[in-house]
């Protein structure tokens, strides 16, 4: 199956209102261009340097999403062009994004990453930290970032009941956040292995890599 066929199949399964982020990390420009030529414009990367390089090389109407964990000292390299940062999980990172966005006279849309998985290796805020952050005066003063939703990754397991429970938990935090902030309209959950469940549980944005581009050459 070609990138184009994979993309077409996945898109035909997505309900209206669910955005597809094609996760192109580690993949060459020619694969991205194949997806681009099939109409895809939203791509996700997890390393800032790699995303910057691709942004420089590829058509400028691509929307680049940073889906990985972001180090504060790398924010400056992507502040000019990044469309959405999915993995924001600390006030310090948010402040740095705000600072760099200001230099470019932009407001950068961000998702707060929530820890929903069982494994403690995954990044993210818990419920208490989320509320502490959004209730803080410091947060309210940030004019160059906009929180537009939440992102989460479920436990890596075959137990789809567990995955479903974790997504449902994130959805309920998302619904709650909507009552507290305006402009909340993105719930980023679901990858190649679990996006069907994620959509059933209310995802509005899925991040799909290997089902489009094939397996990556690392674990
Ligand atoms: C790599 C990655 C994905 C895509 O994973 P696939 O299983 O290849 O679809 C989604 N989200 C994040 C945060 C990732 O790092």
């Amino acid at each position: 199956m070609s990138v184009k066929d994979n993309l077409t199949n996945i898109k035909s399964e997505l309900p209206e209102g669910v955005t597809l982020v094609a996760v192109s990390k580690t993949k060459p420009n020619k694969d991205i261009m194949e997806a681009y030529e099939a109409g895809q414009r939203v791509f996700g990367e997890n390393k800032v340097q790699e995303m910057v390089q691709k942004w420089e090389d590829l058509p400028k109407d691509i929307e680049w999403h940073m889906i990985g964990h972001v180090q504060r000292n790398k924010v400056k390299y992507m502040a000019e062009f990044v469309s959405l940062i999915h993995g924001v999980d600390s006030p310090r990172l948010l402040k740095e994004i705000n600072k760099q966005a200001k230099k470019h006279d932009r407001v950068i849309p961000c998702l707060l990453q929530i820890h929903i998985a069982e494994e403690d290796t995954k990044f993210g805020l818990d419920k208490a930290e989320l509320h502490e952050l959004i209730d803080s005066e410091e947060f309210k003063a940030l004019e160059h970032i906009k929180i537009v939703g939440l992102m989460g990754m479920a436990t890596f397991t075959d137990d789809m009941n567990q995955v479903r429970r974790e997504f449902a938990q994130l959805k309920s935090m998302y619904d709650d956040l909507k009552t507290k902030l305006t402009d909340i309209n993105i719930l980023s959950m679901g990858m190649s292995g679990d996006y069907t469940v994620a959509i059933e549980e209310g995802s509005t944005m899925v991040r799909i890599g290997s089902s489009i581009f094939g397996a990556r050459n690392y674990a």
Side-chain angles (χ1 to χ4, degrees):
M1 291 272 276
S2 66
V3 167
K4 184 176 183 225
D5 291 341
N6 292 338
L7 189 70
T8 308
N9 288 343
I10 290 169
K11 277 189 141 166
S12 71
E13 286 172 14
L14 297 183
E16 192 113 358
V18 176
T19 302
L20 171 63
V21 180
V23 176
S24 49
K25 62 191 186 193
T26 79
K27 296 296 176 182
N29 291 347
K30 83 168 175 32
D31 289 8
I32 298 176
M33 283 311 293
E34 196 178 337
Y36 180 90
E37 262 137 34
Q40 183 66 23
R41 290 294 179 274
V42 182
F43 292 87
E45 291 285 332
N46 72 337
K47 295 214 163 62
V48 174
Q49 257 103 343
E50 185 176 344
M51 187 173 74
V52 169
Q53 188 64 53
K54 287 172 173 173
W55 168 67
E56 285 174 354
D57 294 345
L58 293 165
K60 288 295 177 285
D61 63 341
I62 289 179
E63 286 179 36
W64 293 103
H65 288 200
M66 174 42 61
I67 62 168
H69 185 71
V70 179
Q71 288 169 285
R72 270 177 297 133
N73 62 1
K74 302 271 174 67
V75 173
K76 57 177 174 284
Y77 303 115
M78 64 175 168
E80 181 183 349
F81 69 91
V82 67
S83 289
L84 181 64
I85 302 178
H86 289 234
V88 180
D89 66 353
S90 80
R92 291 172 81 201
L93 177 58
L94 208 50
K95 275 170 69 180
E96 177 64 16
I97 296 168
N98 186 72
K99 179 176 155 192
Q100 299 300 334
K102 187 174 180 182
K103 288 186 185 166
H104 294 280
D105 199 21
R106 296 188 63 203
V107 174
I108 298 183
C110 296
L111 304 178
L112 294 173
Q113 184 170 354
I114 305 298
H115 180 105
I116 49 170
E118 212 171 50
E119 302 125 25
D120 46 50
T121 52
K122 300 232 165 112
F123 299 103
L125 303 163
D126 64 26
K127 203 171 192 165
E129 290 165 335
L130 168 66
H131 286 110
E132 195 181 314
L133 194 159
I134 62 166
D135 290 339
S136 70
E137 291 307 317
E138 221 181 359
F139 165 68
K140 290 172 190 156
L142 302 178
E143 292 180 338
H144 291 270
I145 55 99
K146 185 161 87 175
I147 302 296
V148 293
L150 299 178
M151 179 269 214
M153 290 167 83
T155 303
F156 189 70
T157 171
D158 289 334
D159 181 355
M160 281 299 144
N161 289 323
Q162 179 177 352
V163 169
R164 187 179 295 281
R165 272 199 309 279
E166 292 171 356
F167 284 149
Q169 185 196 336
L170 185 59
K171 171 66 159 67
S172 116
M173 290 170 76
Y174 172 75
D175 289 339
D176 181 52
L177 190 65
K178 276 190 162 185
T179 70
K180 300 195 162 90
L181 297 179
T182 50
D183 303 316
I184 300 297
N185 55 23
I186 298 177
L187 179 55
S188 169
M189 60 183 195
M191 319 186 0
S192 292
D194 57 20
Y195 73 89
T196 312
V197 178
I199 289 168
E200 285 166 6
E201 295 304 323
S203 171
T204 72
M205 185 172 276
V206 290
R207 310 174 310 270
I208 301 180
S210 43
S211 293
I212 296 172
F213 297 108
R216 288 176 293 273
N217 289 327
Y218 67 90

